[in-house]
Amino acid sequence: MAAKKSQTGSSSEAAETARRAPMREFSRSLPMSLLRAREAVMRQFRPALRNHGLTEQQWRILRALTAVDAIEVTELARVAFLLGPSLSRILRDLEARQLIERRAAKADLRRAVVSISAKGMKLIEAVAPTSEAIYAEITGRFGARKLAELQEMLGVLERSLAAMEVAGEESGKIEE
Amino acid sequence: MAAKKSQTGSSSEAAETARRAPMREFSRSLPMSLLRAREAVMRQFRPALRNHGLTEQQWRILRALTAVDAIEVTELARVAFLLGPSLSRILRDLEARQLIERRAAKADLRRAVVSISAKGMKLIEAVAPTSEAIYAEITGRFGARKLAELQEMLGVLERSLAAMEVAGEESGKIEE
DNA sequence: CGATTTCACTTAACATGTTAATCATCTCCC
DNA sequence: GGGAGATGATTAACATGTTAAGTGAAATCG
Protein backbone atom coordinates (compact mmCIF):
# COMPACT_ATOMS: atom_id res chain seq x y z
CA MET A 1 0.00 0.00 0.00
CA ALA A 2 3.09 2.19 0.07
CA ALA A 3 3.30 4.93 -2.52
CA LYS A 4 5.23 4.12 -5.65
CA LYS A 5 8.51 5.39 -4.32
CA SER A 6 11.76 5.93 -6.13
CA GLN A 7 10.16 5.40 -9.45
CA THR A 8 10.74 8.62 -11.29
CA GLY A 9 13.60 9.61 -9.07
CA SER A 10 14.63 13.08 -8.03
CA SER A 11 12.26 14.85 -10.40
CA SER A 12 9.28 14.50 -8.10
CA GLU A 13 11.05 14.89 -4.80
CA ALA A 14 8.63 17.50 -3.53
CA ALA A 15 5.80 15.45 -4.95
CA GLU A 16 6.74 12.63 -2.65
CA THR A 17 6.74 15.01 0.27
CA ALA A 18 3.26 16.21 -0.56
CA ARG A 19 2.09 12.66 -1.03
CA ARG A 20 3.40 11.56 2.33
CA ALA A 21 2.43 14.63 4.30
CA PRO A 22 -0.79 16.17 2.99
CA MET A 23 -1.04 19.89 3.65
CA ARG A 24 -4.05 19.31 5.78
CA GLU A 25 -6.26 16.33 6.30
CA PHE A 26 -8.32 18.00 3.58
CA SER A 27 -11.64 16.53 4.60
CA ARG A 28 -11.09 18.36 7.87
CA SER A 29 -10.51 21.72 6.27
CA LEU A 30 -12.86 24.51 7.23
CA PRO A 31 -14.41 24.92 3.78
CA MET A 32 -15.14 21.20 3.59
CA SER A 33 -16.62 21.17 7.08
CA LEU A 34 -18.91 24.02 6.21
CA LEU A 35 -19.86 22.48 2.90
CA ARG A 36 -20.72 19.11 4.38
CA ALA A 37 -22.68 20.64 7.23
CA ARG A 38 -24.71 22.79 4.88
CA GLU A 39 -25.39 19.90 2.57
CA ALA A 40 -26.53 17.76 5.52
CA VAL A 41 -29.03 20.48 6.37
CA MET A 42 -30.24 21.22 2.86
CA ARG A 43 -30.63 17.55 2.09
CA GLN A 44 -33.55 17.63 4.51
CA PHE A 45 -35.31 20.49 2.77
CA ARG A 46 -34.75 19.88 -0.91
CA PRO A 47 -37.31 17.06 -1.42
CA ALA A 48 -40.10 19.11 0.15
CA LEU A 49 -39.26 22.14 -1.97
CA ARG A 50 -39.01 19.98 -5.05
CA ASN A 51 -42.48 18.62 -4.41
CA HIS A 52 -43.72 22.16 -4.82
CA GLY A 53 -41.64 22.85 -7.91
CA LEU A 54 -39.16 25.10 -6.16
CA THR A 55 -35.40 25.08 -6.04
CA GLU A 56 -33.52 26.17 -2.99
CA GLN A 57 -32.71 29.55 -4.49
CA GLN A 58 -36.22 30.21 -5.72
CA TRP A 59 -37.44 29.45 -2.22
CA ARG A 60 -34.89 31.85 -0.74
CA ILE A 61 -36.13 34.62 -2.98
CA LEU A 62 -39.81 34.07 -2.24
CA ARG A 63 -39.05 33.79 1.46
CA ALA A 64 -37.15 37.06 1.38
CA LEU A 65 -40.03 38.73 -0.43
CA THR A 66 -42.53 37.76 2.25
CA ALA A 67 -40.64 39.89 4.73
CA VAL A 68 -41.08 43.09 2.75
CA ASP A 69 -43.73 44.86 0.77
CA ALA A 70 -41.43 45.46 -2.17
CA ILE A 71 -37.69 45.51 -2.70
CA GLU A 72 -35.18 46.54 -5.33
CA VAL A 73 -33.29 43.85 -7.19
CA THR A 74 -29.88 44.77 -5.83
CA GLU A 75 -31.14 44.75 -2.27
CA LEU A 76 -32.86 41.44 -2.88
CA ALA A 77 -29.61 39.98 -4.13
CA ARG A 78 -27.93 41.04 -0.92
CA VAL A 79 -30.67 39.64 1.32
CA ALA A 80 -31.09 36.34 -0.54
CA PHE A 81 -27.32 36.08 -0.95
CA LEU A 82 -27.39 35.56 -4.68
CA LEU A 83 -25.21 37.06 -7.38
CA GLY A 84 -26.83 39.44 -9.82
CA PRO A 85 -26.80 37.15 -12.85
CA SER A 86 -28.35 34.25 -10.93
CA LEU A 87 -31.00 36.52 -9.53
CA SER A 88 -31.78 37.94 -12.97
CA ARG A 89 -32.44 34.51 -14.38
CA ILE A 90 -34.50 33.33 -11.44
CA LEU A 91 -36.63 36.48 -11.38
CA ARG A 92 -37.34 36.05 -15.07
CA ASP A 93 -38.59 32.53 -14.34
CA LEU A 94 -40.57 33.43 -11.23
CA GLU A 95 -42.20 36.31 -13.08
CA ALA A 96 -43.16 34.01 -15.95
CA ARG A 97 -44.75 31.70 -13.39
CA GLN A 98 -46.53 34.71 -11.93
CA LEU A 99 -45.12 34.08 -8.47
CA ILE A 100 -43.69 37.59 -8.31
CA GLU A 101 -44.41 41.00 -9.79
CA ARG A 102 -41.87 43.43 -11.12
CA ARG A 103 -42.06 47.07 -12.06
CA ALA A 104 -39.65 49.91 -12.69
CA ALA A 105 -38.91 52.42 -9.95
CA LYS A 106 -40.59 55.73 -10.68
CA ALA A 107 -37.71 57.89 -9.58
CA ASP A 108 -34.97 55.84 -11.29
CA LEU A 109 -35.83 53.79 -14.34
CA ARG A 110 -32.67 51.74 -13.97
CA ARG A 111 -33.99 50.14 -10.83
CA ALA A 112 -36.56 47.37 -10.77
CA VAL A 113 -38.82 46.79 -7.79
CA VAL A 114 -39.97 43.28 -7.01
CA SER A 115 -42.77 41.97 -4.82
CA ILE A 116 -44.40 38.62 -4.21
CA SER A 117 -47.77 37.94 -5.83
CA ALA A 118 -50.85 36.43 -4.23
CA LYS A 119 -50.09 33.22 -6.05
CA GLY A 120 -46.54 33.29 -4.73
CA MET A 121 -47.82 33.87 -1.24
CA LYS A 122 -50.10 30.88 -1.49
CA LEU A 123 -47.17 28.75 -2.54
CA ILE A 124 -45.19 29.93 0.45
CA GLU A 125 -48.10 29.09 2.71
CA ALA A 126 -48.26 25.61 1.22
CA VAL A 127 -44.60 24.88 1.85
CA ALA A 128 -44.11 26.67 5.15
CA PRO A 129 -45.60 24.02 7.47
CA THR A 130 -43.37 21.27 6.14
CA SER A 131 -40.38 23.57 6.15
CA GLU A 132 -40.99 24.62 9.71
CA ALA A 133 -41.46 21.01 10.79
CA ILE A 134 -38.13 20.06 9.29
CA TYR A 135 -36.42 23.00 10.93
CA ALA A 136 -37.94 22.02 14.25
CA GLU A 137 -36.74 18.46 13.83
CA ILE A 138 -33.22 19.67 13.11
CA THR A 139 -33.30 21.98 16.10
CA GLY A 140 -34.49 19.15 18.28
CA ARG A 141 -31.84 16.73 17.16
CA PHE A 142 -28.93 19.13 17.40
CA GLY A 143 -30.19 21.09 20.38
CA ALA A 144 -31.62 24.59 20.39
CA ARG A 145 -28.85 25.97 22.55
CA LYS A 146 -26.09 24.44 20.49
CA LEU A 147 -27.78 25.68 17.37
CA ALA A 148 -27.78 29.24 18.64
CA GLU A 149 -24.18 28.87 19.70
CA LEU A 150 -23.19 27.53 16.30
CA GLN A 151 -24.87 30.38 14.49
CA GLU A 152 -23.18 32.87 16.76
CA MET A 153 -19.79 31.37 15.90
CA LEU A 154 -20.60 31.41 12.21
CA GLY A 155 -21.46 35.07 12.48
CA VAL A 156 -18.21 35.83 14.26
CA LEU A 157 -16.28 33.92 11.61
CA GLU A 158 -18.00 35.83 8.86
CA ARG A 159 -17.22 39.16 10.47
CA SER A 160 -13.65 38.10 11.20
CA LEU A 161 -13.05 37.56 7.52
CA ALA A 162 -15.04 40.52 6.25
CA ALA A 163 -12.17 42.89 6.72
CA MET A 164 -9.56 40.46 5.42
CA GLU A 165 -7.73 41.47 2.30
CA VAL A 166 -8.52 39.27 -0.64
CA ALA A 167 -4.93 38.73 -1.64
CA GLY A 168 -3.66 36.44 -4.36
CA GLU A 169 -3.43 39.00 -7.13
CA GLU A 170 -0.07 37.34 -7.81
CA SER A 171 1.93 40.10 -9.43
CA GLY A 172 1.05 43.70 -8.77
CA LYS A 173 -1.85 43.86 -11.18
CA ILE A 174 -3.96 45.48 -8.52
CA GLU A 175 -4.80 48.39 -10.75
CA GLU A 176 -5.85 47.96 -14.32
CA MET B 1 -45.06 51.73 4.17
CA ALA B 2 -47.75 49.40 5.50
CA ALA B 3 -48.52 46.35 3.45
CA LYS B 4 -51.43 46.58 1.06
CA LYS B 5 -53.93 45.36 3.60
CA SER B 6 -57.54 44.37 3.13
CA GLN B 7 -57.23 44.38 -0.59
CA THR B 8 -58.13 40.87 -1.56
CA GLY B 9 -59.89 40.22 1.69
CA SER B 10 -60.05 36.95 3.55
CA SER B 11 -58.36 35.02 0.77
CA SER B 12 -54.89 36.10 1.81
CA GLU B 13 -55.39 36.10 5.53
CA ALA B 14 -52.43 33.83 6.16
CA ALA B 15 -50.48 35.83 3.65
CA GLU B 16 -50.86 38.90 5.81
CA THR B 17 -49.68 36.89 8.76
CA ALA B 18 -46.64 35.75 6.86
CA ARG B 19 -45.94 39.28 5.78
CA ARG B 20 -46.12 40.66 9.27
CA ALA B 21 -44.48 37.73 11.04
CA PRO B 22 -41.92 36.01 8.81
CA MET B 23 -41.50 32.34 9.58
CA ARG B 24 -37.99 33.01 10.65
CA GLU B 25 -35.76 35.99 10.29
CA PHE B 26 -34.61 34.14 7.16
CA SER B 27 -31.15 35.65 7.04
CA ARG B 28 -30.64 34.03 10.40
CA SER B 29 -31.67 30.58 9.28
CA LEU B 30 -29.10 27.84 9.63
CA PRO B 31 -28.68 27.23 5.91
CA MET B 32 -28.07 30.91 5.29
CA SER B 33 -25.60 31.16 8.16
CA LEU B 34 -23.65 28.21 6.82
CA LEU B 35 -23.77 29.56 3.28
CA ARG B 36 -22.53 33.01 4.25
CA ALA B 37 -19.78 31.63 6.45
CA ARG B 38 -18.55 29.32 3.74
CA GLU B 39 -18.63 32.07 1.16
CA ALA B 40 -16.67 34.35 3.47
CA VAL B 41 -14.00 31.66 3.70
CA MET B 42 -13.89 30.71 0.03
CA ARG B 43 -13.79 34.31 -1.03
CA GLN B 44 -10.27 34.34 0.39
CA PHE B 45 -9.10 31.36 -1.62
CA ARG B 46 -10.73 31.77 -4.99
CA PRO B 47 -8.48 34.50 -6.40
CA ALA B 48 -5.32 32.53 -5.63
CA LEU B 49 -6.75 29.39 -7.21
CA ARG B 50 -7.92 31.37 -10.19
CA ASN B 51 -4.43 32.71 -10.72
CA HIS B 52 -3.36 29.13 -11.25
CA GLY B 53 -6.27 28.29 -13.53
CA LEU B 54 -8.09 26.19 -10.98
CA THR B 55 -11.63 26.25 -9.72
CA GLU B 56 -12.49 25.37 -6.19
CA GLN B 57 -13.70 21.91 -7.17
CA GLN B 58 -10.72 21.15 -9.38
CA TRP B 59 -8.50 22.11 -6.45
CA ARG B 60 -10.46 19.81 -4.13
CA ILE B 61 -9.93 16.89 -6.46
CA LEU B 62 -6.21 17.46 -6.90
CA ARG B 63 -5.81 17.95 -3.18
CA ALA B 64 -7.64 14.71 -2.48
CA LEU B 65 -5.42 12.90 -4.96
CA THR B 66 -2.23 13.99 -3.23
CA ALA B 67 -3.27 12.02 -0.18
CA VAL B 68 -3.45 8.70 -1.98
CA ASP B 69 -1.51 6.77 -4.57
CA ALA B 70 -4.60 6.03 -6.64
CA ILE B 71 -8.32 6.03 -6.01
CA GLU B 72 -11.49 4.88 -7.69
CA VAL B 73 -13.87 7.48 -9.05
CA THR B 74 -16.71 6.70 -6.66
CA GLU B 75 -14.43 6.89 -3.66
CA LEU B 76 -12.98 10.14 -4.97
CA ALA B 77 -16.47 11.58 -5.26
CA ARG B 78 -17.08 10.73 -1.62
CA VAL B 79 -13.80 12.22 -0.43
CA ALA B 80 -13.98 15.40 -2.52
CA PHE B 81 -17.70 15.67 -1.79
CA LEU B 82 -18.78 15.98 -5.38
CA LEU B 83 -21.64 14.33 -7.20
CA GLY B 84 -20.81 11.80 -9.88
CA PRO B 85 -21.80 13.91 -12.88
CA SER B 86 -19.76 16.90 -11.70
CA LEU B 87 -16.78 14.69 -11.03
CA SER B 88 -17.07 13.05 -14.45
CA ARG B 89 -16.91 16.41 -16.20
CA ILE B 90 -14.06 17.71 -14.10
CA LEU B 91 -11.99 14.54 -14.48
CA ARG B 92 -12.43 14.76 -18.24
CA ASP B 93 -11.05 18.30 -18.14
CA LEU B 94 -8.21 17.54 -15.72
CA GLU B 95 -7.20 14.54 -17.80
CA ALA B 96 -7.17 16.65 -20.96
CA ARG B 97 -4.90 19.08 -19.14
CA GLN B 98 -2.74 16.14 -18.10
CA LEU B 99 -3.03 17.00 -14.44
CA ILE B 100 -4.33 13.52 -13.62
CA GLU B 101 -4.07 10.01 -15.04
CA ARG B 102 -6.89 7.56 -15.40
CA ARG B 103 -6.98 3.84 -16.13
CA ALA B 104 -9.47 1.02 -15.82
CA ALA B 105 -9.33 -1.33 -12.85
CA LYS B 106 -7.95 -4.68 -13.85
CA ALA B 107 -10.41 -6.73 -11.80
CA ASP B 108 -13.51 -4.72 -12.75
CA LEU B 109 -13.62 -2.87 -16.02
CA ARG B 110 -16.51 -0.73 -14.85
CA ARG B 111 -14.30 1.00 -12.33
CA ALA B 112 -11.83 3.72 -13.20
CA VAL B 113 -8.78 4.44 -11.10
CA VAL B 114 -7.45 7.97 -10.93
CA SER B 115 -4.13 9.36 -9.77
CA ILE B 116 -2.42 12.72 -9.88
CA SER B 117 0.30 13.27 -12.48
CA ALA B 118 3.71 14.83 -11.97
CA LYS B 119 2.41 17.94 -13.68
CA GLY B 120 -0.58 17.99 -11.35
CA MET B 121 1.70 17.60 -8.38
CA LYS B 122 3.78 20.54 -9.48
CA LEU B 123 0.66 22.65 -9.73
CA ILE B 124 -0.32 21.67 -6.22
CA GLU B 125 3.13 22.61 -5.01
CA ALA B 126 2.82 25.98 -6.66
CA VAL B 127 -0.49 26.82 -5.02
CA ALA B 128 0.05 25.23 -1.63
CA PRO B 129 2.16 27.99 -0.03
CA THR B 130 -0.40 30.69 -0.79
CA SER B 131 -3.24 28.43 0.25
CA GLU B 132 -1.55 27.59 3.52
CA ALA B 133 -0.82 31.24 4.19
CA ILE B 134 -4.46 32.14 3.71
CA TYR B 135 -5.56 29.33 5.95
CA ALA B 136 -3.11 30.48 8.59
CA GLU B 137 -4.42 34.03 8.35
CA ILE B 138 -7.98 32.84 8.80
CA THR B 139 -6.98 30.70 11.76
CA GLY B 140 -5.20 33.64 13.29
CA ARG B 141 -8.09 36.03 12.88
CA PHE B 142 -10.76 33.68 14.13
CA GLY B 143 -8.65 31.89 16.71
CA ALA B 144 -7.26 28.39 16.48
CA ARG B 145 -9.21 27.18 19.47
CA LYS B 146 -12.49 28.60 18.26
CA LEU B 147 -11.83 27.16 14.85
CA ALA B 148 -11.41 23.68 16.27
CA GLU B 149 -14.51 24.15 18.35
CA LEU B 150 -16.49 25.30 15.33
CA GLN B 151 -15.42 22.33 13.27
CA GLU B 152 -16.32 20.00 16.11
CA MET B 153 -19.81 21.47 16.22
CA LEU B 154 -20.17 21.20 12.46
CA GLY B 155 -19.23 17.56 12.68
CA VAL B 156 -21.78 16.94 15.40
CA LEU B 157 -24.43 18.70 13.35
CA GLU B 158 -23.61 16.60 10.33
CA ARG B 159 -23.83 13.38 12.29
CA SER B 160 -27.02 14.52 14.03
CA LEU B 161 -28.70 14.84 10.66
CA ALA B 162 -27.17 11.79 9.03
CA ALA B 163 -29.76 9.46 10.49
CA MET B 164 -32.65 11.83 9.88
CA GLU B 165 -35.32 10.66 7.52
CA VAL B 166 -35.50 12.68 4.37
CA ALA B 167 -39.24 13.16 4.45
CA GLY B 168 -41.25 15.30 2.09
CA GLU B 169 -42.27 12.61 -0.37
CA GLU B 170 -45.70 14.26 -0.13
CA SER B 171 -48.12 11.53 -0.98
CA GLY B 172 -47.08 7.93 -0.59
CA LYS B 173 -45.08 7.76 -3.79
CA ILE B 174 -42.23 6.26 -1.88
CA GLU B 175 -42.13 3.28 -4.16
CA GLU B 176 -42.22 3.64 -7.88
C1' DC C 1 -26.50 71.55 -22.14
C1' DG C 2 -23.50 67.55 -23.81
C1' DA C 3 -19.81 64.30 -23.29
C1' DT C 4 -18.04 61.24 -19.94
C1' DT C 5 -18.51 58.44 -16.18
C1' DT C 6 -21.09 55.88 -13.03
C1' DC C 7 -24.77 52.89 -11.85
C1' DA C 8 -28.53 49.07 -12.00
C1' DC C 9 -29.50 45.44 -14.33
C1' DT C 10 -29.14 42.01 -17.91
C1' DT C 11 -26.69 38.82 -21.19
C1' DA C 12 -23.04 35.94 -22.38
C1' DA C 13 -19.99 32.15 -21.60
C1' DC C 14 -18.30 28.62 -19.12
C1' DA C 15 -18.15 25.52 -14.79
C1' DT C 16 -20.70 23.10 -11.37
C1' DG C 17 -25.13 21.32 -8.82
C1' DT C 18 -28.87 18.21 -9.37
C1' DT C 19 -31.81 14.58 -10.96
C1' DA C 20 -32.91 11.24 -14.52
C1' DA C 21 -31.57 8.31 -18.16
C1' DT C 22 -28.13 5.64 -20.56
C1' DC C 23 -24.26 2.34 -21.19
C1' DA C 24 -21.20 -1.15 -20.10
C1' DT C 25 -19.86 -4.41 -17.09
C1' DC C 26 -20.65 -7.72 -13.31
C1' DT C 27 -23.31 -10.90 -10.20
C1' DC C 28 -26.37 -13.92 -9.19
C1' DC C 29 -29.16 -17.62 -9.88
C1' DC C 30 -31.49 -21.02 -12.59
C1' DG D 1 -23.59 -20.28 -19.57
C1' DG D 2 -27.19 -17.14 -20.22
C1' DG D 3 -30.64 -13.83 -18.85
C1' DA D 4 -32.49 -10.64 -15.15
C1' DG D 5 -31.07 -7.48 -12.06
C1' DA D 6 -27.36 -4.76 -9.71
C1' DT D 7 -23.46 -1.66 -10.07
C1' DG D 8 -19.88 2.02 -11.72
C1' DA D 9 -19.50 5.53 -14.64
C1' DT D 10 -21.01 8.67 -18.04
C1' DT D 11 -24.29 11.54 -20.58
C1' DA D 12 -28.38 14.52 -20.84
C1' DA D 13 -31.04 18.35 -19.44
C1' DC D 14 -31.92 22.07 -16.79
C1' DA D 15 -30.78 25.43 -12.83
C1' DT D 16 -27.33 28.03 -10.50
C1' DG D 17 -22.34 29.93 -9.53
C1' DT D 18 -18.98 32.97 -11.42
C1' DT D 19 -16.70 36.45 -14.07
C1' DA D 20 -16.78 39.52 -18.03
C1' DA D 21 -19.18 42.25 -21.28
C1' DG D 22 -23.22 44.76 -22.74
C1' DT D 23 -27.33 48.04 -22.32
C1' DG D 24 -29.89 51.82 -20.91
C1' DA D 25 -30.55 55.45 -17.57
C1' DA D 26 -28.71 58.67 -14.24
C1' DA D 27 -25.17 61.61 -12.27
C1' DT D 28 -21.14 64.43 -12.92
C1' DC D 29 -18.39 67.83 -14.84
C1' DG D 30 -16.77 71.04 -18.28
Side-chain angles (χ1 to χ4, degrees):
Chain A
M1 202 60 78
K4 48 177 177 181
K5 263 200 269 190
S6 67
Q7 181 174 313
T8 51
S10 59
S11 167
S12 57
E13 161 62 17
E16 279 301 318
T17 300
R19 204 181 283 271
R20 279 188 279 103
M23 297 164 40
R24 186 181 321 289
E25 236 299 357
F26 177 61
S27 67
R28 292 183 191 169
S29 73
L30 179 57
M32 287 301 290
S33 294
L34 290 166
L35 180 59
R36 280 200 306 263
R38 180 162 202 280
E39 178 54 28
V41 173
M42 286 314 304
R43 215 167 63 81
Q44 312 299 325
F45 288 98
R46 260 191 283 270
L49 294 179
R50 184 176 175 73
N51 279 340
H52 290 277
L54 288 176
T55 66
E56 177 195 335
Q57 291 81 0
Q58 293 167 353
W59 170 249
R60 284 221 301 272
I61 292 173
L62 292 182
R63 272 290 307 279
L65 288 179
T66 63
V68 299
D69 188 47
I71 187 172
E72 290 179 7
V73 171
T74 298
E75 176 67 2
L76 180 56
R78 193 187 63 77
V79 173
F81 209 71
L82 292 169
L83 293 180
S86 292
L87 184 54
S88 255
R89 284 179 303 219
I90 299 174
L91 289 181
R92 187 208 310 148
D93 175 67
L94 293 180
E95 188 176 23
R97 291 159 69 183
Q98 304 185 349
L99 296 174
I100 66 167
E101 290 162 3
R102 174 158 42 173
R103 61 184 188 282
K106 279 161 274 186
D108 186 342
L109 296 184
R110 290 173 305 183
R111 300 167 190 266
V113 177
V114 180
S115 57
I116 192 168
S117 70
K119 183 179 174 187
M121 199 60 94
K122 280 185 182 172
L123 181 54
I124 289 281
E125 291 164 28
V127 184
T130 302
S131 173
E132 285 297 285
I134 294 172
Y135 205 98
E137 172 74 10
I138 292 174
T139 303
R141 281 179 178 267
F142 186 60
R145 190 157 313 172
K146 274 163 66 180
L147 180 55
E149 193 184 338
L150 171 57
Q151 292 188 286
E152 169 62 21
M153 292 188 76
L154 292 172
V156 171
L157 172 62
E158 193 185 339
R159 290 188 288 277
S160 297
L161 273 49
M164 193 169 154
E165 273 305 314
V166 180
E169 298 305 321
E170 193 78 346
S171 52
K173 53 176 170 182
I174 294 174
E175 46 203 332
E176 174 119 339
Chain B
M1 197 65 78
K4 45 180 177 181
K5 264 201 267 191
S6 66
Q7 183 175 312
T8 51
S10 60
S11 165
S12 57
E13 161 62 16
E16 279 301 320
T17 301
R19 203 181 283 272
R20 280 186 281 100
M23 297 164 39
R24 185 183 320 291
E25 235 301 355
F26 177 60
S27 67
R28 291 183 192 170
S29 72
L30 180 58
M32 286 300 290
S33 294
L34 290 167
L35 180 59
R36 280 201 306 262
R38 180 163 202 280
E39 177 54 29
V41 173
M42 285 315 302
R43 218 168 62 80
Q44 311 299 324
F45 289 97
R46 261 190 283 271
L49 294 179
R50 185 176 174 73
N51 279 340
H52 290 276
L54 288 177
T55 66
E56 176 194 337
Q57 292 81 359
Q58 293 166 352
W59 170 247
R60 285 220 300 274
I61 291 173
L62 292 182
R63 272 292 306 278
L65 289 179
T66 62
V68 298
D69 188 46
I71 188 173
E72 289 180 8
V73 171
T74 299
E75 176 66 3
L76 180 56
R78 195 188 62 76
V79 173
F81 209 71
L82 292 169
L83 293 179
S86 293
L87 184 55
S88 256
R89 286 178 302 221
I90 300 173
L91 289 181
R92 187 208 309 150
D93 176 66
L94 293 180
E95 188 176 23
R97 291 158 69 182
Q98 304 186 350
L99 296 175
I100 66 166
E101 291 162 2
R102 175 159 41 173
R103 62 183 187 282
K106 279 162 273 185
D108 186 342
L109 295 184
R110 290 172 305 182
R111 300 166 190 269
V113 177
V114 180
S115 58
I116 192 167
S117 70
K119 184 178 174 188
M121 199 60 92
K122 279 187 184 172
L123 181 54
I124 289 281
E125 292 165 27
V127 184
T130 302
S131 172
E132 285 297 286
I134 294 171
Y135 205 97
E137 172 75 11
I138 291 174
T139 303
R141 282 179 179 267
F142 186 59
R145 190 157 313 175
K146 275 164 64 180
L147 180 55
E149 194 183 338
L150 172 58
Q151 292 188 287
E152 170 63 20
M153 293 189 76
L154 292 172
V156 172
L157 173 63
E158 193 185 339
R159 289 187 289 277
S160 297
L161 274 48
M164 193 168 154
E165 272 305 314
V166 180
E169 297 306 320
E170 194 79 347
S171 53
K173 55 177 170 182
I174 294 173
E175 45 204 333
E176 175 118 340

